[in-house]
Amino acid sequence: MFYYIKITSETGKEIEIDGRDGSDIQKFLKSVCVCVDTVDDNVSNRASNVLNRVNVKLDIDSKTNSICKDLMDWALASSGEDVYRLVHIDVYDDKQVIRSFDIQKMFVEDYEEDFNGERDCSADLKLIQQANNAKNFLHDTARL
């Protein structure tokens, strides 16, 4: 599997994580998790509050350092047009897109960088969609 992620603000700022060409970026991108989540663990019906979440984990290296800096800058933003962004994700098998997601009004819930020595450094990005935007979750599932 490999991934293409593009995060775009209303002002046109972009963060791109592109592993489509078999580049080094792909080997540093450890996981992408897309989750449709209910706020409470014990829900009684589907009308309960639903949140769309995305978690991305990647290793920090000279190849991903500028991406991680851009992600941290986004995480530090608390107001303005750059806080909420469109997140586009393509998931590929060996040859084709098998999942594609466009999730509007995403913001950084948590961003963490973990430095465990010289070669074990990682970043964990947790995104969540702004409340009352669950319908702004477009997805396409290709045949497996």
Side-chain angles (χ1 to χ4, degrees):
M1 296 251 161
F2 53 99
Y3 311 95
Y4 173 74
I5 302 169
K6 185 175 182 181
I7 301 166
T8 309
S9 74
E10 290 180 15
T11 62
K13 284 186 183 177
E14 293 181 351
I15 301 171
E16 196 172 45
I17 306 171
D18 191 353
R20 294 177 293 185
D21 62 359
S23 67
D24 289 336
I25 297 294
Q26 181 55 39
K27 74 179 180 182
F28 293 111
L29 186 55
K30 296 303 177 190
S31 67
V32 176
C33 176
V34 178
C35 180
V36 178
D37 189 18
T38 53
V39 175
D40 299 315
D41 288 336
N42 298 315
V43 295
S44 59
N45 62 51
R46 197 60 193 157
S48 298
N49 199 5
V50 175
L51 296 174
N52 297 317
R53 300 177 184 271
V54 173
N55 295 340
V56 178
K57 295 182 182 192
L58 64 152
D59 289 339
I60 300 172
D61 186 85
S62 60
K63 305 285 187 196
T64 59
N65 192 40
S66 66
I67 293 169
C68 292
K69 181 202 175 301
D70 290 344
L71 293 173
M72 183 173 282
D73 288 346
W74 180 25
L76 291 169
S78 61
S79 64
E81 296 173 322
D82 290 332
V83 173
Y84 299 101
R85 299 186 182 193
L86 169 66
V87 176
H88 173 83
I89 301 168
D90 288 332
V91 180
Y92 292 79
D93 65 6
D94 293 335
K95 298 177 185 172
Q96 66 182 359
V97 175
I98 59 170
R99 299 282 190 274
S100 186
F101 304 94
D102 283 305
I103 311 169
Q104 297 176 7
K105 300 289 185 181
M106 297 290 287
F107 66 95
V108 178
E109 177 183 23
D110 292 309
Y111 178 76
E112 180 178 322
E113 291 186 351
D114 187 18
F115 302 96
N116 286 323
E118 198 172 304
R119 297 182 106 15
D120 189 19
C121 304
S122 62
D124 189 3
L125 175 68
K126 294 180 181 179
L127 304 176
I128 193 166
Q129 191 175 38
Q130 184 184 37
N132 301 316
N133 279 282
K135 66 182 182 216
N136 295 321
F137 181 99
L138 303 175
H139 61 93
D140 180 36
T141 306
R143 285 187 213 162
L144 293 174

